[in-house]
Amino acid sequence: MQNSLPSTPKNTPQGITWRQTVVMRNAQGQEEAFSIGPDGSVWSFIADSGDSRFDATGQRLENLGLAADFLTVGRNVAGALVVIAAKGLHTQYRTETPLEGLTLADGLRKRWSPAQSIHLPTIAGATGVRRLYTQTDFSGMRIAMIVDTEQPGIGASYVMACSQWGEAGPGPFILLPPLGAPGAGQPAKTASAPGQATFRVAHSA
C-alpha cells in the first residue's frame, strides 16, 4: 500500500473510525472509496488497482491531504472526479487527473491536482460548513454547501451557498436563505415538482 492505516486519536469518541464513505468509479473504471479517516483527513482506497507494484494484492490506500469534517465527491464536465472537503469554514478540493494504469504507480502527486481552496462569499455570522452536496447533469457539476451562522438578535441559523462548477473550479456563489416556516403574510413553500433536480451528497459508482 502507499500509506499505512492511520491510528485512531486518543480523544476520538468510541466507535468513530471511518466516516462519510463515498464510492465512485474513477477514470480507470475502478471503484474507488473515499472516506474521512480517524485522523480527520480524507483517504482514498482502491481494492484492486490491477497493479501489484502497490502491494501483493494491488490494493491502493492514499491520504489526499484534505482535513475534513464533511466530504463529498462529484464528477466534473470532463468526467473527472472532484473530491471536496470542508473543515470549519475552510473548504478545499482536488481533481482527478486521468492517467494510464501503469502511470498510477508514480504516486499521488500525478494522480490528483494540488489541493485548492474554495473561497466562499461573505456570510454574516458564518461559523462553519455543515454539509456538502454535488450534482452532475448535462450542464456540468454544481456544488451546494449548508453554512451555519450565529448573529446577535437572530441566533443560530444557516444559509445555502450554491455554485456552478467550471473548468477552473467553482464559479460565483449564490446565497439562498434558510428553508423553513414562511414569515407572516408570505405563502408557504411548495414541494419540488416530480423530476426536478435536487442536490445530493454524491453519485453512485
Side-chain angles (χ1 to χ4, degrees):
M1 292 187 183
Q2 295 294 303
N3 293 277
S4 59
L5 287 169
S7 60
T8 302
K10 293 181 179 180
N11 59 351
T12 300
Q14 187 175 2
I16 301 298
T17 53
W18 299 86
R19 301 179 288 117
Q20 300 181 34
T21 300
V22 178
V23 179
M24 300 283 283
R25 196 169 293 279
N26 62 27
Q28 288 72 44
Q30 304 155 336
E31 288 191 347
E32 186 166 358
F34 302 89
S35 186
I36 301 174
D39 61 347
S41 296
V42 176
W43 290 72
S44 157
F45 176 71
I46 301 175
D48 183 6
S49 66
D51 192 332
S52 61
R53 287 177 293 180
F54 299 147
D55 73 359
T57 63
Q59 294 180 346
R60 185 180 180 88
L61 177 69
E62 292 179 321
N63 187 333
L64 297 189
L66 301 174
D69 291 324
F70 297 98
L71 160 72
T72 189
V73 184
R75 195 179 302 278
N76 65 18
V77 69
L81 297 181
V82 181
V83 180
I84 306 170
K87 179 78 173 178
L89 288 171
H90 185 48
T91 307
Q92 294 180 292
Y93 70 94
R94 298 187 75 166
T95 303
E96 179 186 26
T97 302
L99 297 172
E100 297 296 330
L102 294 179
T103 310
L104 289 176
D106 291 338
L108 180 65
R109 181 177 60 84
K110 292 185 177 180
R111 171 104 199 280
W112 296 91
S113 69
Q116 299 184 64
S117 295
I118 297 176
H119 301 289
L120 290 173
T122 300
I123 300 174
T127 60
V129 175
R130 186 205 309 176
R131 192 60 61 90
L132 296 167
Y133 303 89
T134 58
Q135 178 195 41
T136 302
D137 58 21
F138 65 91
S139 64
M141 189 178 91
R142 287 181 288 276
I143 179 176
M145 306 181 190
I146 303 295
V147 181
D148 284 326
T149 62
E150 182 77 36
Q151 297 186 68
I154 298 176
S157 187
Y158 64 91
V159 297
M160 176 180 281
C162 305
S163 173
Q164 180 75 38
W165 202 271
E167 294 183 0
F173 278 89
I174 298 174
L175 298 182
L176 302 177
L179 302 177
Q186 296 181 347
K189 298 181 183 294
T190 57
S192 299
Q196 182 176 341
T198 56
F199 285 98
R200 52 192 175 186
V201 173
H203 298 285
S204 62

